[in-house]
Amino acid sequence: MRVKQSSLVLLNLLSRSVICGMDRWHEEGEELRKLALESGVYPNGPLVMTIGEVKNEPELREYGLFLPLSSPVEGPAERALGFRSRLYFKKTAAIRHYEADEPFAASYRELENVAYRRGIILERPFYHVCLEVNGERFFDIHAPIKGSAA
């Protein structure tokens, strides 16, 4: 079974919300990385994103982008940025999504089916940890566990 129980803990997150086409989220993430470096801090973890639909715009998505940093930053409100001291989920259901160009729907269904069978309730949004190894991109998708159905 590909779904496992995990956790998601990240500190000092530079964040940004963007609405863009599904083919542009990575460029927006790289822009966030660039803005971090311009602020005098360096990223020390992978880009993490949430994905939401945009009403009446089927080609667009709203992406919440989060980038862990080496230290907190001061005054990130300019350029529609935010700062979060931590992202902490003690328990998540997690699945590795290897096909970066494939929709996440099948992985979401697998997470939800396993959660149903185990009697656990998942919380949205799901968090997509973008990993790149040897030029290949894949994702660990974390679904926060809200509790049990019983």
Side-chain angles (χ1 to χ4, degrees):
M1 182 173 304
R2 297 183 330 135
V3 175
K4 62 182 181 179
Q5 185 170 319
S6 189
S7 61
L8 182 61
V9 180
L10 299 167
L11 303 175
N12 299 321
L13 298 146
L14 191 61
S15 64
R16 182 179 203 176
S17 180
V18 296
I19 295 176
C20 63
M22 293 176 269
D23 58 340
R24 288 203 21 94
W25 68 266
H26 194 261
E27 292 171 32
E28 295 291 343
E30 287 303 313
E31 180 66 19
L32 188 61
R33 187 176 301 277
K34 180 180 163 188
L35 292 171
L37 291 170
E38 289 173 358
S39 296
V41 294
Y42 61 90
N44 66 352
L47 179 68
V48 178
M49 68 178 174
T50 58
I51 306 170
E53 294 189 8
V54 177
K55 189 175 183 175
N56 299 322
E57 295 288 347
E59 299 301 316
L60 298 177
R61 296 290 181 269
E62 181 172 5
Y63 294 93
L65 303 173
F66 304 91
L67 186 64
L69 303 175
S70 57
S71 61
V73 292
E74 297 283 329
E78 65 184 19
R79 297 188 194 171
L81 298 180
F83 179 78
R84 208 168 155 171
S85 61
R86 72 180 189 155
L87 183 65
Y88 176 78
F89 296 102
K90 186 175 181 178
K91 291 184 182 180
T92 67
I95 189 168
R96 182 151 289 168
H97 183 88
Y98 285 102
E99 302 299 323
D101 295 329
E102 295 295 318
F104 294 118
S107 292
Y108 292 169
R109 277 193 302 279
E110 190 169 347
L111 279 167
E112 290 164 342
N113 288 339
V114 169
Y116 178 78
R117 286 195 306 273
R118 292 182 183 170
I120 58 176
I121 300 168
L122 302 178
E123 185 177 329
R124 295 259 184 179
F126 294 168
Y127 291 81
H128 306 70
V129 180
C130 180
L131 303 165
E132 296 190 37
V133 178
N134 296 326
E136 297 292 320
R137 184 181 307 140
F138 56 95
F139 298 88
D140 281 347
I141 303 172
H142 288 264
I145 295 175
K146 189 174 186 176
S148 62

